[in-house]
Amino acid sequence: VASGARAWLLQRLTAVYMLLFLVIVLARFAADAPSSYEAWRSWIGAAGMRIATLLFVAAVLLHAWVGLRDVAMDYVHPPALRIGVLALVAAGLAAAGAWMALILVVL
Amino acid sequence: MRFSIYRFDPERDARPYMQDYELALDPHDRMLLDALMRLRAQDDSLAFRKSCREGVCGSDAMNINGRNGLACITRLTELKEPVTLRPLPGFPVIRDLVVDMGTFFDHYHAIRPYLVNDEPPPERERLQSPEERAALDGLYECILCGACTGFCPSWWWNPDRFLGPAALLQAMRFIADSRDRATAERLEFLDDAYRLYRCRTIMNCTEVCPKHLSPSRAIEHIRRKIVSEGL
């Protein structure tokens, strides 16, 4: 539940990482797309790629949390309703994160 | 010239309404305020604020054809008819075009709009180099008319807790001042999810500032300063 400057900085840093990750992955695909499912699997399954992807998922979730929390602070004013909305958002993001982690670790 | 003006007298009207006016301009009428003065001579129930009538006092900020600006420096020739006048959006209306600036000035006072320096004063004055003085350009010229704050969606949603562009520009004015010694306290006060970080860089403030200042840039500088000072 980062406050002012920390949340703002977190959103910017995660944005930079997401941009770098997407550019690199897209460039890799444009240059040399995996030709088969096996090739794709061995590419994404490499330890470095798994860690980078896991970091990317974490960045997406943190970025989304700061953004959606901002939306709730702007528009959802009744305290009980806001806590409910934020709890739903947090649960949804945590579930998405857990699912992605499961896929990337068990893969 | 045709006008459509927001009217509301809480003692008489159940709800606000738009009133149409038709006005024969005098050849010497240049600015919207000239026309408003003429309209008031026609209908003395019409309420609006004005004082210096030359863009210095900041009294006659209003929403002119959908954009906030000062009536006294808005040229009549540049306005599409009917000229639609409304009070500053987001401010509580007292009557017609007169709004309650109470919260606006509360936020202004909250940023401590004065030099804080407990060091013993020198014999004559606290000197600044030309460069230090130049750091205040683009900040000190604000006349607190409220055009920017009244055009800021972030402030519309949280007028009581977000300080708004005018107060934040003023905050930067004192952070940037080489004679001030309270920068750390000022930044700590501003490092708050509501006071500063409701700003979404929408930049409506910079778009409408009648003095052509940039509260957006001032806010950006405050954020960078908070990060670089490691708070």
Side-chain angles (χ1 to χ4, degrees), chain B residues 4-10 12-21 43 45-46 85-87 96-97:
Chain B
S4 174
I5 301 181
Y6 177 102
R7 301 299 311 270
F8 182 57
D9 179 350
R12 292 216 321 251
D13 308 321
R15 56 183 60 235
Y17 60 97
M18 299 301 289
Q19 184 172 348
D20 293 331
Y21 288 93
D43 173 0
S45 73
L46 179 63
L85 301 180
R86 294 173 186 273
D96 300 343
L97 301 175

Side-chain angles (χ1 to χ4, degrees), chain A residues 54 57 61 91-105:
Chain A
L54 214 51
V57 171
L61 297 176
L93 292 177
W99 191 15
M100 277 305 290
L102 201 64
I103 292 171
L104 283 167
V105 172

Side-chain angles (χ1 to χ4, degrees), chain A residues 43-104:
Chain A
W43 177 69
I44 192 110
M49 205 49 218
R50 280 196 209 202
I51 292 168
T53 311
L54 214 51
L55 276 175
F56 176 72
V57 171
V60 171
L61 297 176
L62 288 170
H63 193 85
W65 166 250
V66 175
L68 291 170
R69 189 197 61 145
D70 273 341
V71 172
M73 285 170 80
D74 279 350
Y75 301 116
V76 186
H77 285 243
L81 189 61
R82 181 184 295 177
I83 289 168
V85 167
L86 287 178
L88 273 178
V89 167
L93 292 177
W99 191 15
M100 277 305 290
L102 201 64
I103 292 171
L104 283 167

Side-chain angles (χ1 to χ4, degrees), chain B residues 137-154:
Chain B
D137 288 343
L139 299 169
Y140 79 92
E141 300 94 330
C142 172
I143 57 173
L144 292 167
C145 66
C148 58
T149 297
F151 220 44
C152 172
S154 292

Side-chain angles (χ1 to χ4, degrees), chain B residues 78-141:
Chain B
E78 285 167 15
L79 292 174
K80 277 226 306 251
E81 289 183 62
V83 180
T84 306
L85 301 180
R86 294 173 186 273
L88 283 180
F91 284 81
V93 173
I94 294 173
R95 207 180 117 182
D96 300 343
L97 301 175
V98 176
V99 294
D100 180 352
M101 309 278 288
T103 308
F104 177 84
F105 281 107
D106 287 346
H107 290 327
Y108 174 59
H109 293 301
I111 61 105
R112 298 206 285 166
Y114 40 84
L115 282 183
V116 178
N117 188 336
D118 293 332
E119 293 162 15
E123 206 156 300
R124 293 197 52 184
E125 57 200 328
R126 296 185 199 277
L127 294 173
Q128 286 188 299
S129 69
E131 293 75 33
E132 287 168 343
R133 168 60 189 77
L136 305 180
D137 288 343
L139 299 169
Y140 79 92
E141 300 94 330

Side-chain angles (χ1 to χ4, degrees), chain A residues 5 70 73-75 77 82, chain B residues 157-158 191 194 197-198 200:
Chain A
D70 273 341
M73 285 170 80
D74 279 350
Y75 301 116
H77 285 243
R82 181 184 295 177
Chain B
W157 309 141
N158 287 290
D191 182 9
Y194 278 97
Y197 289 95
R198 283 308 81 206
R200 276 302 94 64

Side-chain angles (χ1 to χ4, degrees), chain B residues 1-69:
Chain B
M1 198 166 193
R2 287 177 302 126
F3 293 85
S4 174
I5 301 181
Y6 177 102
R7 301 299 311 270
F8 182 57
D9 179 350
E11 288 177 8
R12 292 216 321 251
D13 308 321
R15 56 183 60 235
Y17 60 97
M18 299 301 289
Q19 184 172 348
D20 293 331
Y21 288 93
E22 189 76 51
L23 180 72
L25 292 179
D26 183 275
H28 298 294
D29 291 341
R30 289 281 179 274
M31 300 294 178
L32 176 59
L33 183 62
D34 300 331
L36 273 172
M37 297 296 286
R38 216 168 278 287
L39 280 172
R40 187 153 66 184
Q42 216 174 77
D43 173 0
D44 65 6
S45 73
L46 179 63
F48 57 89
R49 286 198 184 106
K50 65 113 181 76
S51 178
C52 78
R53 54 109 188 87
E54 56 185 10
V56 175
C57 73
S59 302
D60 64 352
M62 56 186 69
N63 188 271
I64 305 158
N65 281 348
R67 280 173 63 98
N68 291 355

